[in-house]
Each structure stands twice: as structure tokens, then as C-alpha cells.
Amino acid sequence: LQHNPSKNDTTWRFTVPQEELTARKPSQGGIYDKAIKFEEDKTTIQTETLNRILHHDDPEQYLLMSFRALRFPESTLSETRNYIVTFLKVGFLNGKQYRSY
């Protein structure tokens, strides 16, 4: 989705083919849903097994996000926190703002 994110980013408008965003049930059971992973050098989207807490909810409304590996060189944890908070307020995927968990 993005190479070399910056702590100074203020907009996140990602576009992905719709078929990649559709929740699906694999042949072995369970539901897979979209997940965005934030890292120091890139932001990627992939599919992961849906959190069991959400099995009764519409998976199309949710997006798993992982900020665990996100660290900006020569910045404070507070600056990284501000990046995350801002993303959660203004980040969009295909023009839609998702609920996060």
C-alpha cells in the first residue's frame, strides 16, 4: 500500500481491488478478513483469520490493523502514537473508513 511511511504523513487513501477486500471462507473453515500491517519501511495489506470475537458481526465493516512493527527512526514513541491516532481518524481504504480492532 505504501513504501517508507513518514511520521509526517497526514493522509492515507489506499485503493485496492474490491475482490481483495471481500471477506471469504476458506475450504478448511473459518473466515478470512483484510488486515493492514504498518512497519517502519512499508504498509501492506493481507488476509488473516478473523478474530473470534467478530464471528457474529459483518466482517465487511472491520479491518484488522497491526502497528506492532511501526517505529520511525529518530522519533519518540509519542510521535509514533500521534501517527497512529491520526491514521485511525482519517485513514481510508477504497473511500471507506473502517472500524478498527
Side-chain angles (χ1 to χ4, degrees):
L1 295 176
Q2 180 181 16
H3 291 286
N4 300 313
S6 164
K7 67 180 180 182
N8 299 317
D9 290 343
T10 57
T11 59
W12 299 265
R13 299 208 181 269
F14 304 125
T15 302
V16 176
Q18 190 58 43
E19 60 272 9
E20 295 295 322
L21 297 180
T22 304
R24 55 191 179 274
K25 294 183 178 182
S27 58
Q28 55 277 62
I31 297 175
Y32 280 57
D33 201 11
K34 54 208 162 292
I36 294 182
K37 185 176 182 181
F38 291 82
E39 299 175 81
E40 179 181 322
D41 61 340
K42 64 186 176 215
T43 303
T44 58
I45 190 165
Q46 57 198 34
T47 55
E48 290 191 7
T49 304
L50 190 63
N51 185 311
R52 70 179 189 274
I53 294 171
L54 300 175
H55 276 246
H56 298 292
D57 293 302
D58 179 4
E60 297 298 324
Q61 294 182 357
Y62 293 90
L63 178 65
L64 174 69
M65 295 182 210
S66 173
F67 297 97
R68 188 160 109 193
L70 180 64
R71 300 291 179 271
F72 294 112
E74 300 180 26
S75 21
T76 65
L77 288 177
S78 178
E79 290 171 310
T80 301
R81 182 199 67 225
N82 290 341
Y83 176 94
I84 294 168
V85 168
T86 304
F87 173 82
L88 293 174
K89 289 180 181 178
V90 302
F92 285 84
L93 184 59
N94 287 5
K96 180 178 181 180
Q97 189 170 25
Y98 285 84
R99 297 178 186 159
S100 307
Y101 64 92

